[in-house]
Amino acid sequence: MDNLNIMIVGVGGQGTLLASRLLGKVAQKQGYDVKVSEVHGMSQRGGSVVTYVKMGKKVYSPIIEKGEADFLLAFEKLEALRWIDYLKREGTLILNEQEIDPMPVITGSTRYPGSITEKLEAAGVRIRSIDALRTAMECGNIKAVNMVLIGLLAGTSSIGEEIWIRSLEEVVPQKFLDVNIRAFNAGYGVR
Amino acid sequence: MKELLLGNEAVARGAYEAGVRVATAYPGTPSTEITENIAKYDEIYSEWSPNEKVALEVAIGASLAGARSICSMKHVGLNVAADPLFTVSYTGVNGGLVIMVADDPGMHSSQNEQDSRFYARASLVPMLEPSDSRECKDYVKTAFEISEKFDCPVIVRLTTRVAHSRSLVEIGERKGIELRPYVKDPSKYVMMPAMARGRHLAVEKRMAGLRSYAETTPLNRIEWGDRKIGVITSGISYQYAREALGDVSYLKLGMVYPLPEGLIREFASKVDKLYVIEELEPFFEEQVKAMGIEVTGKNLLPVTGEYSATLLRERLCGTKPEKVFDIDSQAPARPPVMCPGCPHRGTFHVLKKLKLTVTGDIGCYTLAALPPAQSMDTCVCMGASVGMAHGMEKARGREFGRKTVAVLGDSTFIHSGITGLIDVVYNKGCSTVIILDNSITGMTGHQHNPTTGFTIKGEPTKQVDLELLAKAVGIERVRIADPFDLKNFEKVVREEVEADEPSVIIAQRPCALLKQVRYEGPQKINENCRMCRSCMRIGCPAIVDKGDSIEINIALCVGCRLCSNVCAFNAIEKAGDQNG
């Protein structure tokens, strides 16, 4: 396999760290070398956060560069727009349709850009999108947004479902396992 | 068995396997997870110390008492611990002593991007620098061996991308290391002039030994590839260089101080063109140039910010990544913000309203300098808020002092705000100091501190009483107020800045992210709303102006009801039952 690069972008507090941890586990189970670069500290407080997951025969830099991501997993629409340059032309954007206003929008100094999905599509970005917030609520926990998106990514990737489920069982605490598996399946089943 | 560990987790594992008995730290991004993970091992005594200076002193004591000890901090923490560092270099150790320092190039979560390698050189202490998690674990173990072999502390330097990246690590067993006997030895451990002179000579002798060790240690290795280009590098820069330049030749330095001059000369003589690739300061480059070797480095590469493979390709090879997608839309910035439910929001709402000059400090609340609060004037270092408010008053007079407050968190106050407060009292200042007591060390991710009443392991312990403490140093006006009771909080602040004596206001409300904090859940705007937008002024990320309506984002709102405190029309109420 060539290296598989997955970039997770979102807003601090959305559960991107658990998603990256799960992806790391998936890589490990397949016997790949893997590096995951996380964001901790101040930028976690509602700021734009980005996590890189790189797997393959040998990984040096933990950072994914512009034009190198096979998947861009965007937990929020504006963040998809911000980081789209990192996606390969033939890569896939996994998009949560959720919108979270950044502070400059809240204070009225700028506006949330309109028609992001349409603009990305027009530019030729391959997109698979879902309202992960609503799906997570339907699954029984608003916080399971991350697993819905991981499910959608899993269904798009060439990695078998069983590896995903087994990895999930290892990174998610027992008491939240059921709802997370439900959320994963809801995302996975989207066709 | 291999595990996917953060660099910081791997350091913790390395300490465990090396038989460490005592671990100390003050939390600070990107170093915090080292000691959080060490605390999971029952074989190791671990503690959050009040600050890095104390942390290092405890570790030095443990080392002299015969135990392998480790002390961890972020780069600016080493400034605080610099005093003991320079002298423990003279005393040397008994049990091995390793000092972990995590630099933050690019300043993801810091107030400066100082390069800690200079501390190694200035204090004559060897320094190692790993480039991934496996090396984090291995280097920590080697650092203990070096420490005991050469009778010196050893610094292991991380940078954010190493500390906070996960990679695969082979897990090993804990080595049974006995406590070394404690032997009283004033000539080595009492650093007064007569003894210290002798020890300085010993340090110089030790440095000579370390220089020859650097020539042969496997920590420094040459990876031969295409000899047209040779790269001297270390840490995360090695990974970026590997990615950008591929199969050229590398001298990867695992020991970044002292440098192996012979090895560098040998490497330089066998490649056509020599580069030094290092983030931040030209620490290697200047030393290599001083050897009379021609080298390319900072003339092409920046001394600021982080490097990346893309940056190296651009600057060294002249290749730029092509723009893949052409999109006619700009993403507005998304700076970090105070969380929904954050107690600081109430405090700064009031300080802004009163138009006070606010000397600030290090913590989540530093975000109050940004819109919409914009009510923090300064932020320099841990505890600086108190001394700076005092200095402002002494420079501009009492009238200016009536318009000035110092603001700092509970953990920051204990770290180094208390000494500033003593200064205010002793030198007859009238400053008002607001301690934001949110019951935890917030920004670094919820660590206990002396004011929370729990240890690093969550065991109950004595709790510093901030009120009594302030009174004990001579503050007669100590007020406790809830920052969400805006009316009362404003009244208290007005009274205390007016008072012609020093005062302390303890703004008490716990961090909204603490598990025991249970607000009633998401709110909504009802039909009473007149679109006056008062609620927008508190700057809560959960409240959204839709132009013709105000909405509350139920995925973000925790139900703290600060917004309903500012709403004059009773237009905010609990939303219907939502899961989650």
Side-chain angles (χ1 to χ4, degrees):
Chain A
M1 178 189 94
D2 284 342
N3 280 14
L4 181 68
N5 296 337
I6 303 171
M7 206 162 143
I8 308 173
V9 301
V11 179
Q14 276 193 303
T16 53
L17 281 187
L18 184 68
S20 65
R21 217 156 289 171
L22 175 64
L23 286 167
K25 194 57 92 175
V26 165
Q28 214 187 333
K29 285 212 179 303
Q30 297 180 99
Y32 294 135
D33 188 20
V34 55
K35 283 189 180 165
V36 179
S37 185
E38 303 179 349
V39 173
H40 298 231
M42 182 174 260
S43 37
Q44 262 181 300
R45 300 279 173 265
S48 169
V49 293
V50 50
T51 305
Y52 310 92
V53 183
K54 294 175 80 169
M55 55 185 95
K57 229 174 96 191
K58 172 75 189 163
V59 179
Y60 287 107
S61 164
I63 308 300
I64 296 170
E65 311 279 342
K66 282 185 179 169
E68 284 187 359
D70 296 282
F71 288 98
L72 178 63
L73 186 56
F75 278 52
E76 202 273 348
K77 233 195 260 181
L78 185 57
E79 296 310 311
L81 178 63
R82 187 188 317 283
W83 297 99
I84 195 66
D85 283 348
Y86 285 75
L87 192 63
K88 284 182 185 165
R89 172 151 295 283
E90 63 280 16
T92 303
L93 167 66
I94 305 286
L95 178 64
N96 181 9
E97 286 160 15
Q98 195 178 344
E99 292 182 2
I100 301 175
D101 283 357
M103 200 41 76
V105 171
I106 290 177
T107 57
S109 69
T110 183
R111 290 173 62 175
Y112 197 99
S115 322
I116 290 177
T117 313
E118 292 74 8
K119 282 178 181 161
L120 291 174
E121 262 170 351
V125 180
R126 190 187 307 169
I127 305 179
R128 302 211 58 198
S129 71
I130 188 168
D131 184 345
L133 183 65
R134 206 186 63 197
T135 312
M137 281 164 71
E138 285 165 6
C139 291
N141 193 329
I142 200 164
K143 293 210 170 93
V145 164
N146 51 8
M147 286 308 134
V148 175
L149 292 168
I150 287 283
L152 186 55
L153 170 70
T156 313
S157 78
S158 55
I159 303 164
E161 186 181 4
E162 192 209 309
I163 288 181
W164 292 94
I165 297 285
R166 273 197 295 142
S167 306
L168 210 155
E169 285 167 355
E170 284 178 36
V171 299
V172 173
Q174 189 61 34
K175 63 176 175 174
F176 297 119
L177 194 56
D178 278 357
V179 64
N180 276 291
I181 288 183
R182 263 203 309 281
F184 174 88
N185 284 333
Y188 193 86
V190 175
R191 284 288 173 263
Chain B
M1 186 188 54
K2 277 189 178 171
E3 279 189 34
L4 189 58
L5 299 183
L6 277 180
N8 284 343
E9 289 174 334
V11 168
R13 184 70 204 182
Y16 172 79
E17 291 177 13
V20 163
R21 287 167 184 266
V22 173
T24 62
Y26 183 81
T29 313
S31 71
T32 312
E33 299 81 4
I34 296 171
T35 312
E36 277 183 327
N37 282 286
I38 289 179
K40 294 173 184 166
Y41 298 113
D42 286 335
E43 295 92 332
I44 304 177
Y45 166 80
S46 55
E47 70 169 44
W48 292 130
S49 311
N51 64 34
E52 293 86 352
K53 178 174 182 288
V54 176
L56 182 51
E57 289 155 354
V58 173
I60 293 170
S63 160
L64 299 197
R68 284 194 165 186
S69 309
I70 190 168
C71 177
S72 308
M73 61 200 71
K74 69 183 294 177
H75 58 328
V76 285
L78 193 52
N79 303 337
V80 179
D83 199 357
L85 168 70
F86 279 72
T87 303
V88 73
S89 171
Y90 280 28
T91 64
V93 303
N94 185 13
L97 174 62
V98 170
I99 300 164
M100 298 299 309
V101 60
D103 285 9
D104 191 14
M107 292 174 277
H108 296 266
S109 203
S110 302
Q111 67 269 37
N112 74 32
E113 60 184 341
Q114 69 188 44
D115 189 331
S116 296
R117 293 178 296 174
F118 289 100
Y119 270 112
R121 192 167 161 186
S123 65
L124 303 169
V125 167
M127 178 182 266
L128 313 185
E129 183 177 23
S131 70
D132 62 17
S133 300
R134 181 180 61 78
E135 288 183 354
C136 281
K137 197 193 86 165
D138 293 349
Y139 284 19
V140 165
K141 292 166 81 169
T142 307
F144 278 104
E145 285 162 18
I146 297 173
S147 173
E148 287 171 0
K149 181 170 175 199
F150 290 94
D151 189 12
C152 60
V154 176
I155 305 175
V156 179
R157 177 203 191 218
L158 308 178
T159 57
T160 303
R161 295 296 185 185
V162 172
H164 284 166
S165 289
R166 290 173 187 277
S167 55
L168 295 169
V169 180
E170 188 71 46
I171 300 299
E173 293 301 315
R174 179 171 167 91
K175 207 166 155 186
I177 301 275
E178 292 300 311
L179 266 182
R180 293 181 167 200
Y182 173 70
V183 183
K184 183 170 166 146
D185 184 358
S187 67
K188 187 165 184 289
Y189 298 141
V190 180
M191 284 302 95
M192 53 202 288
M195 284 86 145
R197 285 183 202 115
R199 290 305 301 169
H200 193 175
L201 292 173
V203 168
E204 292 304 329
K205 207 172 142 200
R206 176 180 84 204
M207 284 310 300
L210 282 161
R211 280 189 198 99
S212 25
Y213 174 84
E215 300 288 352
T216 52
T217 171
L219 291 167
N220 298 327
R221 64 167 192 264
I222 294 177
E223 297 171 3
W224 288 116
D226 185 341
R227 298 197 184 196
K228 280 200 189 71
I229 290 178
V231 176
I232 299 176
T233 186
S234 74
I236 195 67
S237 298
Y238 164 78
Q239 306 289 359
Y240 297 148
R242 267 277 170 197
E243 190 100 18
L245 307 176
D247 198 21
V248 300
S249 296
Y250 296 89
L251 170 53
K252 182 189 175 296
L253 298 171
M255 189 168 191
V256 297
Y257 186 80
L259 291 184
E261 185 171 340
L263 195 62
I264 289 171
R265 286 186 186 285
E266 185 204 333
F267 182 70
S269 71
K270 290 177 180 165
V271 297
D272 296 347
K273 190 167 169 56
L274 185 65
Y275 290 93
V276 170
I277 300 181
E278 55 188 328
E279 286 180 327
L280 302 179
E281 298 298 318
F283 181 77
F284 298 152
E285 186 177 333
E286 285 177 351
Q287 294 182 71
V288 172
K289 280 180 172 164
M291 295 171 198
I293 298 170
E294 198 182 321
V295 62
T296 299
K298 296 297 179 188
N299 51 330
L300 297 180
L301 295 166
V303 291
T304 57
E306 291 190 290
Y307 285 5
S308 67
T310 298
L311 179 124
L312 297 183
R313 280 186 206 113
E314 269 182 44
R315 300 289 180 100
L316 304 181
C317 318
T319 53
K320 272 193 166 185
E322 277 176 46
K323 199 158 169 63
V324 185
F325 301 105
D326 191 17
I327 294 156
D328 170 35
S329 191
Q330 280 285 319
R334 189 187 298 276
V337 292
M338 289 176 193
C339 304
C342 178
H344 307 326
R345 186 168 284 109
T347 302
F348 287 99
H349 184 72
V350 169
L351 299 184
K352 185 181 193 183
K353 186 176 168 191
L354 299 180
K355 298 194 174 66
L356 297 175
T357 298
V358 178
T359 56
D361 225 299
I362 310 277
C364 293
Y365 46 88
T366 315
L367 292 169
L370 304 178
Q374 288 176 294
S375 51
M376 182 172 289
D377 292 60
T378 68
C379 169
V380 173
C381 67
M382 293 288 286
S385 59
V386 186
M388 287 177 68
H390 181 59
M392 283 188 168
E393 183 182 76
K394 292 298 179 189
R396 301 193 69 90
R398 179 65 199 121
E399 204 40 54
F400 191 83
R402 277 196 190 92
K403 284 281 179 194
T404 306
V405 292
V407 173
L408 77 175
D410 46 89
S411 188
T412 309
F413 178 72
I414 296 293
H415 180 285
S416 43
I418 179 67
T419 40
L421 189 65
I422 291 169
D423 185 49
V424 172
V425 175
Y426 170 57
N427 287 307
K428 302 181 177 182
C430 299
S431 301
T432 299
V433 175
I434 303 180
I435 302 174
L436 305 169
D437 180 8
N438 64 347
S439 311
I440 202 74
T441 311
M443 189 167 74
T444 43
H446 286 182
Q447 290 74 33
H448 283 295
N449 68 56
T451 71
T452 68
F454 293 92
T455 69
I456 191 171
K457 292 197 185 244
E459 291 157 4
T461 183
K462 293 256 191 200
Q463 185 175 9
V464 170
D465 185 324
L466 289 172
E467 187 183 359
L468 279 179
L469 178 61
K471 284 184 173 158
V473 304
I475 303 281
E476 285 172 22
R477 300 180 68 101
V478 183
R479 310 280 295 269
I480 297 177
D482 176 0
F484 273 14
D485 183 348
L486 294 171
K487 231 170 108 184
N488 179 59
F489 195 78
E490 183 181 329
K491 181 172 159 279
V492 169
V493 175
R494 278 182 191 281
E495 288 167 6
E496 295 314 317
V497 290
E498 276 304 318
D500 285 325
E501 59 178 295
S503 54
V504 166
I505 302 169
I506 302 172
Q508 225 163 40
R509 180 168 278 261
C511 173
L513 301 180
L514 283 170
K515 275 200 187 90
Q516 68 268 28
V517 176
R518 290 235 158 247
Y519 289 116
E520 63 182 37
Q523 308 285 307
K524 66 172 183 189
I525 309 283
N526 65 26
E527 62 288 353
N528 296 336
C529 178
R530 311 268 180 92
M531 294 294 293
C532 73
R533 294 189 168 81
S534 312
C535 57
M536 295 302 299
R537 283 206 292 273
I538 64 171
C540 176
I543 309 177
V544 182
D545 189 343
K546 289 283 176 189
D548 48 3
S549 68
I550 306 288
E551 281 179 19
I552 293 181
N553 184 334
I554 57 157
L556 297 179
C557 178
V558 296
C560 74
R561 293 187 57 77
L562 180 67
C563 52
S564 63
N565 278 356
V566 297
C567 177
F569 303 105
N570 259 327
I572 300 170
E573 63 180 40
K574 188 175 179 342
D577 244 359
Q578 301 292 341
N579 49 51

